[in-house]
Amino acid sequence: MPIFNLNINNKSYSVEAESDMPLLWVLRDLLGLTGTKYGCGVASCGACTVIMDGNAVYSCQRQVGACVNKKITTIEGLSEDGSHPVQQAWQKAGVPQCGYCQPGQMMAAAALLAKNKQPGEDMITAAMSDNLCRCGTYHRIKAAIHIAIEDINK
């Protein structure tokens, strides 16, 4: 079985896995980074969203063999102490109900705000449209994104 060297949360990891193993399972099962959630496995819900080279991607659809030489950030890597503006905004807005989709939601929002510190409503809607929240807290998610925008631009 091949060994892959990965850069995850600014740390180097060597993992032994089949090259077509989804990154999601490498993160959760091989590395113990369980903040990234399994939702559907078919790129329909966004629960498994991570940031790869600055872009929000579904880790369930990325084969580990294609992740070498990429910079990967999981929810655990946004900040060690919960101080990332998106994490703080989620707390201020009281976003989660069940919380299951929230790591993916936060990663999509963090990727958006890293690229554009003042996105308009249409850009926010587009960036978040592929992440489902079964509890329907979309209004709180948008409120949190606006709080994060204010905090980032202070």
Side-chain angles (χ1 to χ4, degrees):
M1 201 172 316
I3 295 176
F4 298 96
N5 295 312
L6 304 173
N7 177 348
I8 303 170
N9 302 330
N10 295 315
K11 296 178 184 171
S12 295
Y13 293 91
S14 292
V15 295
E16 186 176 343
E18 295 297 335
S19 64
D20 62 349
M21 183 178 202
L23 176 62
L24 172 64
W25 301 121
V26 170
L27 295 171
R28 292 184 59 80
D29 294 347
L30 302 183
L31 300 177
L33 297 170
T34 58
T36 304
K37 302 301 182 204
Y38 171 77
C40 67
V42 294
S44 291
C45 74
C48 69
T49 302
V50 298
I51 299 172
M52 184 180 296
D53 289 342
N55 298 305
V57 300
Y58 294 147
S59 62
C60 73
Q61 296 298 302
R62 294 292 190 272
Q63 297 179 350
V64 69
C67 297
V68 175
N69 298 322
K70 306 285 184 185
K71 183 178 188 225
I72 302 162
T73 305
T74 69
I75 190 72
E76 293 93 343
L78 278 186
S79 71
E80 289 184 20
D81 60 359
S83 63
H84 188 280
V86 168
Q87 292 169 313
Q88 292 291 306
W90 248 247
Q91 288 179 358
K92 289 176 187 174
V95 174
Q97 242 176 310
C98 85
Y100 196 80
C101 71
Q102 296 311 308
Q105 299 278 1
M106 285 189 272
M107 296 309 289
L112 168 66
L113 297 178
K115 289 181 178 183
N116 186 336
K117 302 219 182 304
Q118 293 189 337
E121 258 337 282
D122 290 344
M123 192 174 273
I124 293 169
T125 299
M128 301 305 293
S129 66
D130 292 332
N131 287 64
L132 300 179
C133 174
R134 287 157 184 86
C135 297
T137 64
Y138 297 111
H139 62 288
R140 286 189 243 162
I141 291 167
K142 273 199 174 179
I145 292 170
H146 285 287
I147 291 168
I149 291 168
E150 288 178 26
D151 290 347
I152 289 169
N153 290 298
K154 281 184 181 175

